[in-house]
Amino acid sequence: MAVDSTTQEEDGIAAGTDASHISVVGPGTKSRPRDQDSSAVKRRCVSTACIACRRRKSKCDGNTPSCAACSSVYGTECIYDPGSDHRRKGVYKKDIDNLKTRNSTLQTLVQGILNYPEDDVPDLVRQIRTCESLDDVAETILAKDGRPDEIDSAIASPSFRHDPSPDGHTLESELSGKMGELRIENGSVKYIGGTSNLIFAGPAGEHGVSNTAHARPHTRQQPDAPITSWTEVTDDDQLFQHLMNMYFHWHYPYFTTLSRTSFDREFNLGRPPPGSIRTTEHCTPLLVNAMLALGCHFSSWPGARADPEDSATAGDHFFKEAKRLILEGDEHENPRLATVQALALMSVREAGCGREGKGWVYSGMSFRMACDMGLNVDSGGMTSSRSSGMDDEEIDARRVTFWGCFLFDK
């Protein structure tokens, strides 16, 4: 009977029950209604957590006025402060705005120092040093110039900071001109900084670069001597021209350190004979011998070697002549543009021959002499250079030389 009743109950279940409504629950699992699954709410993303949750590094639901963690779990005060989270874009924008405001203020102060009359500048500097807010001083400067509302517009605009004025001067060039100037000392151009200028103070006619110091003949002249007069190593015109061509063809395009136009003008006239009034600034025997020494490394001619049977001696005779000229002519004591270029070429030659220590010595002399001449300063924007006879060609030659030294240093 027990078996029959059990069978009847099973048959009744099978007959009166829909299998789709039967859920099989395994051991250790829990059943969840299907309608509850569909109505489950996805957790929303919170962009900013409260200060308390950030400190204890717990999840924050972002509810206001108090999140669930603070009100129900920890019972702490719930405060939202988006500005205290420095990872947010809003904080970056606020910092950028502050930097722009500070930059415009500093630009106004610098502009005021540059444009104020000489007698009023000490009072302005004293006011800057003793003030409580630089913004107040900047507003005073703008008000004095009749521009009270331009601290965030005109002063902060890129055109004000970078565009040149009608006379071609920019803020950087004005500052450079006030910090130092170029002077003639012992026949060579030197850069004297702002503080060093004080010990060189003298009559107006003694300042700056002389108008005649850089006077160059722009008309074609007859050569005073053959081009082979630039060196005493050889008088073979064919060998000389061959080595110069090798230098300009293989080395110069990759390591440009001189103005070819200025060099050729003086080079083609030959070396000035003793007693000649013609001076050379862009071509000297030292520079030419350094070029010839480098040109020898691209030639297979026997004359390109000190020992025709030994290829390792290529250029040694011209390089020896260059070293002699440095010592006998005290070239290292008188900064000249051609000397800077020659020392740079000699450093490359020594490094290429595996003598890196000597190469660094020559390059160091070249770079220090370049700084002594102010090649690292934009001479095109300096008042002393423009008003003292240094033309565009001379300024361009100085720039080419500086960037050539920069290239060698890299």
Side-chain angles (χ1 to χ4, degrees), residues 331-352:
E331 297 289 346
H332 58 286
E333 296 181 2
N334 301 317
R336 301 178 61 183
L337 207 61
T339 306
V340 175
Q341 299 161 356
L343 290 172
L345 295 179
M346 293 172 71
S347 70
V348 175
R349 195 260 179 182
E350 287 297 275

Side-chain angles (χ1 to χ4, degrees), residues 177-188:
K178 291 182 179 295
M179 290 301 294
E181 64 179 12
L182 300 176
R183 292 177 179 269
I184 291 290
E185 182 179 337
N186 297 328
S188 60

